[in-house]
C-alpha cells in the first residue's frame, strides 16, 4: 500500500472518480498530483440536498438506537481502515503519520460516543403549575445538516458533525475543503460500506459535494438545509453567518483561533516547554488550536525561551511520512507567503524573529517546508492579534498576573487557552468568570489536542459554536415543549379566567 493510488483503491475509491476532473488534488509533501477530481455544479448540489431531504424524512422515524447501529458500523469500518485513511490524511494534508492516524482515531472515538448517545437523547420532565397536567421536552431531528470543513482537519470535523447528526435522525451534506477532496471521497466510500452492512438506510443519508465556494454557497442559501455547520477561517464565517441568518437558518461556526499559553513564575518549565512545542509546531502550526502566543512571567522568561530555542533547533522537519519527522509542510504557497508577510510585520513592529525561513527547497521545489519561528515581541502588537495559519510563536513577557490575563483576552479570537502554574489561586482565577474568555481553558496542559468528550469551540471571532462531546448533540435537533392535560378541566396558565 505504497502509492497514493494503492491507498485510494484500498479505501474503496472508484478509479473513474480520480481522473479527468477539473479539480487537481495535490500532496503538500512534494506538490505531486494525486488525482483529478470531478467537481459538482450548483445544480448537482441542489439535487444532493433534495436527496438528503428525502433520506431525512425516512431516517427521522427510525428509532434512535437503530440509527446508532449505523454509526457503530461506521466506527468498525474506520477501525479496519485506520492505517489507510490516516495515510491519506498525511498525503493530502501533510500531517505526520501519528497525527494522520490520530485524526482517524478521533473519528472512531466520536462514533463510539454517538452510539452511546443514540440511547441518551434525553428531554426534561417539567413541573406544571396546573393540576392534572404534565410538561415535557422532546427533541426531534432538524432534517438536513450542511457541513463545510477546512483543509487542516479534513476528516475529523466531518465525523464530529456527521456521527452526531445521523444518530439524531438527520441527513448530512458535506462540502469539504477544495484542498482535500480525496479524504472526503474516501470517507464517503467508507460510509457506503457501513450502510451496506447496515442494510436498510435510505439513499442520500450522507452526500458529498466537491468544489469551491459556489458549491458551499448552495448549502448556505438553501432553505432545505436547517443547520449549516461551518469550520474554517473567520473570513469565511463572516460571509456564511449573515447569509444563513438572512433566511433564519441555524449556524454552528467553528472559526479561527489565536491561542495563548500563560506560564507563571511557579510553573514546571519542563512540562510547559513540552506543551508549548507540541502546540506551536505540531501540524506545522496549522491547527485551529495551535499555540500562537506565549505570555510568560519575566522571572522565568529567559530560561523558558532558551529551552524553546533549543527544542526548535532540533525539531526534525521533513517528509511527514518518515517517522522521524515532527514538522511537515505548509499546505501551499499561499500559506508560506502569509507566514513571510506576518514575520515581516512582526519585525517592523519591534519583534526579534528567529526561524521562519523556507527549508528543503532543493529536495522539494514544489512544496513549502519552513523552520518554525519564534518572535519575541515588545507587546501585543497588531500582527499578534491576527491568526496567521503557520508556525509562528509570539512571545510576550509580563510582571503582574492581571496583565497576563488582559493579554490573553485582548485578541478578537476566543478558541483555546492554557496556563502552566503550580499556584492554585492563579489556576482557579484563570478558569473563573473573570479569567480566560475562551471556549477551552486548560491548566498544565497546552492549547491543542482536545478530547472528543468535551464540547469543542470558542467565543468571539471563533464563532461561538460547540461541537463534539458534552451536549453538543442538541445543535442537531429541535426542541419541542409539550403540555399534556390528563384532567377533565381546562385551567388556563397564570390563573387567567376567560369567559367563565
Ligand atoms: P477557509 O475559510 O479558507 O475554508 C474553509 C471552508 O469554507 C472550505 O471548504 C471553503 O471552500 C469554504 N468556504 C470559504 N468561503 C465560503 C463561502 N463564502 N461560502 C461557503 N463556503 C465557503 O479555511 P481553511 O484555510 O481551509 O482552514 C483554516 C482555517 O480554519 C483557520 O482559520 C483555522 O483556525 C480554521 N479552523 C477552525 C477550526 C475550529 O474548530 N474552530 C477547526 C479547523 C480549522
Amino acid at each position: 500500500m505504497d502509492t497514493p493510488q494503492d491507498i485510494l483503491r484500498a479505501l474503496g475509491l472508484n478509479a473513474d472518480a480520480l481522473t479527468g476532473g477539473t479539480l487537481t488534488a495535490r500532496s503538500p509533501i512534494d506538490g505531486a498530483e494525486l488525482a483529478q477530481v470531478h467537481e459538482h455544479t450548483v445544480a448537482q448540489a441542489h439535487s444532493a440536498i433534495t436527496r438528503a431531504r428525502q433520506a431525512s424524512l425516512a431516517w427521522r422515524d427510525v428509532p434512535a438506537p437503530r440509527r446508532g447501529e449505523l454509526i457503530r458500523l461506521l466506527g468498525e469500518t474506520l477501525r479496519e481502515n485506520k492505517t489507510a485513511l490516516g495515510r491519506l490524511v498525511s498525503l493530502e494534508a501533510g500531517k505526520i503519520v501519528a497525527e494522520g492516524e490520530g485524526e482517524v482515531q478521533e473519528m472512531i472515538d466520536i462514533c463510539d460516543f454517538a452510539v452511546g448517545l443514540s440511547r441518551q437523547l434525553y428531554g426534561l420532565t417539567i413541573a406544571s403549575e396546573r393540576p392534572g397536567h404534565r410538561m415535557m421536552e422532546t427533541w426531534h431531528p432538524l432534517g438536513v445538516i450542511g457541513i463545510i470543513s477546512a483543509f487542516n482537519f479534513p476528516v475529523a470535523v466531518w465525523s464530529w458533525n456527521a456521527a452526531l447528526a445521523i444518530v439524531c435522525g438527520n441527513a448530512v451534506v458535506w462540502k469539504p475543503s477544495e484542498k482535500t477532496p480525496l479524504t472526503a471521497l474516501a470517507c464517503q466510500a467508507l460510509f457506503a460500506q457501513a450502510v451496506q452492512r447496515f442494510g436498510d438506510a435510505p439513499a442520500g443519508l450522507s452526500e458529498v459535494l466537491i468544489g469551491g465556494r459556489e458549491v458551499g454557497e448552495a448549502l448556505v442559501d438553501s432553505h432545505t438545509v436547517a443547520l449549516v455547520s461551518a469550520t474554517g477561517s473567520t473570513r469565511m464565517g463572516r460571509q456564511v453567518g449573515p447569509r444563513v441568518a438572512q433566511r433564519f437558518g441555524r449556524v454552528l461556526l467553528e472559526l479561527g483561533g489565536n491561542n495563548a499559553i500563560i506560564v507563571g513564575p511557579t510553573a514546571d518549565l519542563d512540562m510547559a516547554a513540552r506543551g508549548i512545542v507540541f502546540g506551536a509546531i505540531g501540524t506545522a502550526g496549522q491547527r485551529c488550536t495551535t499555540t500562537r502566543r506565549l505570555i510568560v512571567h519575566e522571572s522565568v522568561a529567559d530560561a523558558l525561551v532558551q529551552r524553546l530555542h533549543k527544542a526548535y533547533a532540533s525539531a526534525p522537519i521533513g517528509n511527514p511520512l518518515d517517522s522521524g519527522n515532527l514538522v511537515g509542510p505548509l499546505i501551499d504557497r499561499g500559506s508560506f507567503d502569509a507566514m513571510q508577510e506576518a514575520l515581516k510585520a512582526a519585525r517592523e513592529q519591534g519583534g526579534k524573529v528567529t526561524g521562519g525561513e523556507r527549508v528543503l527547497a532543493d529536495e522539494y521545489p514544489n512544496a513549502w517546508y519552513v523552520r518554525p519561528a519564534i518572535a519575541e515581541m515588545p507587546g501585543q502588537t497588531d500582527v499578534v492579534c491576527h491568526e496567521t495559519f503557520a508556525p509562528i510563536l509570539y512571545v510576550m513577557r509580563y510582571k503582574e498576573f492581571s496583565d497576563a490575563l488582559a493579554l490573553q483576552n485582548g485578541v478578537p479570537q476566543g478558541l483555546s487557552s492554557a496556563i502552566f502554574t503550580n499556584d492554585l489561586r492563579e489556576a482557579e482565577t484563570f478558569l473563573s468568570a473573570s479569567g480566560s474568555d475562551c471556549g477551552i481553558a486548560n491548566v498544565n496542559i497546552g492549547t491543542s489536542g482536545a478530547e472528543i468528550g468535551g464540547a469543542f469551540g470558542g467565543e468571539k471571532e471563533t464563532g461561538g459554536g460547540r461541537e463534539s462531546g458534552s451536549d453538543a448533540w442538541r445543535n442537531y435537533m429541535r426542541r419541542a415543549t409539550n403540555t399534556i392535560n390528563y384532567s377533565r378541566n381546562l385551567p388556563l396558565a397564570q390563573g387567567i379566567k376567560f369567559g367563565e
Side-chain angles (χ1 to χ4, degrees):
M1 199 179 61
D2 275 344
T3 69
Q5 277 61 34
D6 290 342
I7 297 170
L8 294 168
R9 252 194 310 275
L11 289 166
L13 279 176
N14 183 344
D16 293 347
L18 306 172
T19 51
T22 46
L23 180 64
T24 303
R26 291 189 185 281
S27 174
I29 295 175
D30 53 8
E33 182 176 312
L34 296 171
Q36 286 179 342
V37 184
H38 298 269
E39 289 180 85
H40 289 95
T41 61
V42 169
Q44 287 170 325
H46 287 301
S47 306
I49 294 168
T50 304
R51 280 195 300 277
R53 175 68 186 154
Q54 286 307 115
S56 75
L57 296 179
W59 192 240
R60 69 186 181 186
D61 292 331
V62 173
R66 174 79 183 136
R67 302 194 297 242
E69 171 62 7
L70 173 57
I71 297 303
R72 190 188 70 75
L73 291 168
L74 176 63
E76 287 300 303
T77 310
L78 287 165
R79 277 186 175 86
E80 289 156 16
N81 291 277
K82 180 174 168 181
T83 311
L85 185 58
R87 205 164 173 88
L88 189 60
V89 169
S90 293
L91 274 175
E92 204 178 33
K95 294 190 178 194
I96 62 170
V97 172
E99 285 178 315
E101 289 189 5
E103 197 177 328
V104 182
Q105 185 58 46
E106 219 171 301
M107 302 176 81
I108 295 166
D109 293 344
I110 197 73
C111 286
D112 286 356
F113 182 89
V115 175
L117 191 63
S118 71
R119 290 180 185 269
Q120 299 175 76
L121 301 172
Y122 301 138
L124 295 174
T125 304
I126 301 159
S128 170
E129 66 188 48
R130 286 171 279 189
H133 285 57
R134 185 167 67 80
M135 286 176 74
M136 65 178 188
E137 280 182 354
T138 40
W139 291 85
H140 298 302
L142 286 175
V144 178
I145 310 296
I147 303 168
I148 294 173
S149 62
F151 79 85
N152 68 319
F153 274 94
V155 293
V157 167
W158 170 71
S159 68
W160 288 5
N161 285 281
L164 264 54
I166 287 172
V167 297
C168 289
N170 305 287
V172 297
V173 183
W174 178 21
K175 209 297 286 174
S177 166
E178 51 277 49
K179 295 176 186 173
T180 51
L182 294 178
T183 39
L185 292 173
C187 288
Q188 183 69 350
L190 296 176
F191 186 81
Q193 286 181 30
V195 163
Q196 203 166 18
R197 289 180 180 183
F198 181 78
D200 55 353
L205 198 53
S206 170
E207 295 278 340
V208 171
L209 298 174
I210 300 297
R213 191 178 154 153
E214 318 72 58
V215 180
E217 285 172 351
L219 275 182
V220 166
D221 291 337
S222 168
H223 287 256
T224 308
V225 177
L227 167 73
V228 177
S229 172
T231 299
S233 58
T234 295
R235 183 195 51 76
M236 177 275 286
R238 236 185 221 111
Q239 293 164 355
V240 167
R243 278 175 79 145
V244 179
Q246 189 83 21
R247 61 174 177 84
F248 295 100
R250 297 187 189 192
V251 277
L252 196 173
L253 296 176
E254 296 278 354
L255 310 175
N258 191 356
N259 319 294
I261 293 182
I262 296 176
V263 177
T266 63
D268 178 327
L269 292 190
D270 287 334
M271 273 173 61
R274 267 172 63 77
I276 295 161
V277 172
F278 174 70
I281 71 173
T283 324
Q286 298 167 110
R287 294 186 202 130
C288 50
T289 54
T290 288
T291 308
R292 307 200 180 280
R293 298 178 294 140
L294 170 62
I295 302 165
V296 54
H297 191 265
E298 57 177 12
S299 64
V300 293
D302 286 341
L304 182 62
V305 172
Q306 214 171 16
R307 275 176 214 229
L308 294 180
H309 279 302
K310 208 167 144 205
Y312 269 53
S314 61
I317 305 166
N319 188 326
L321 299 175
D322 296 342
S323 59
N325 289 328
L326 291 180
V327 183
L330 294 175
I331 190 73
D332 55 20
R333 178 173 192 143
S335 202
F336 173 76
D337 290 345
M339 179 177 183
Q340 299 311 308
E341 267 173 46
L343 292 177
K344 183 167 167 274
R347 285 191 187 93
E348 285 165 6
Q349 290 165 28
K352 190 178 120 207
V353 176
T354 319
E357 70 278 10
R358 186 174 180 193
V359 296
L360 302 173
D362 292 342
E363 204 175 331
Y364 300 108
N366 298 316
W368 301 90
Y369 292 83
V370 290
R371 187 168 304 287
I374 295 178
E376 290 185 66
M377 302 301 294
Q380 194 146 273
T381 64
D382 187 50
V383 70
V384 183
C385 296
H386 289 95
E387 180 198 48
T388 301
F389 216 54
I392 304 174
L393 180 68
Y394 298 107
V395 181
M396 292 161 287
R397 297 174 183 226
Y398 76 92
K399 277 196 180 73
E400 300 297 331
F401 183 61
S402 57
D403 296 334
L405 268 184
L407 285 171
Q408 143 63 35
N409 293 341
V411 294
Q413 311 81 358
L415 181 52
S416 187
S417 60
I419 187 168
F420 280 85
T421 181
N422 283 316
D423 180 328
L424 181 71
R425 289 194 181 110
E426 274 182 6
E428 290 289 343
T429 305
F430 183 75
L431 301 181
S432 75
S434 47
S436 163
D437 64 0
C438 291
I440 298 168
N442 297 333
V443 175
N444 289 336
I445 67 163
T447 56
S448 62
E451 297 183 23
I452 59 95
F456 182 91
E459 304 300 333
K460 303 192 290 187
E461 287 190 4
T462 303
R466 292 295 187 281
E467 281 178 3
S468 193
S470 184
D471 63 354
W473 61 272
R474 293 180 180 203
N475 286 305
Y476 307 92
M477 303 199 88
R478 63 185 173 85
R479 180 197 324 238
T481 302
N482 312 129
T483 308
I484 301 131
N485 177 2
Y486 58 91
S487 76
R488 293 182 188 282
N489 301 312
L490 192 62
L492 301 178
Q494 295 90 42
I496 290 175
K497 305 281 180 221
F498 190 76
E500 289 165 31

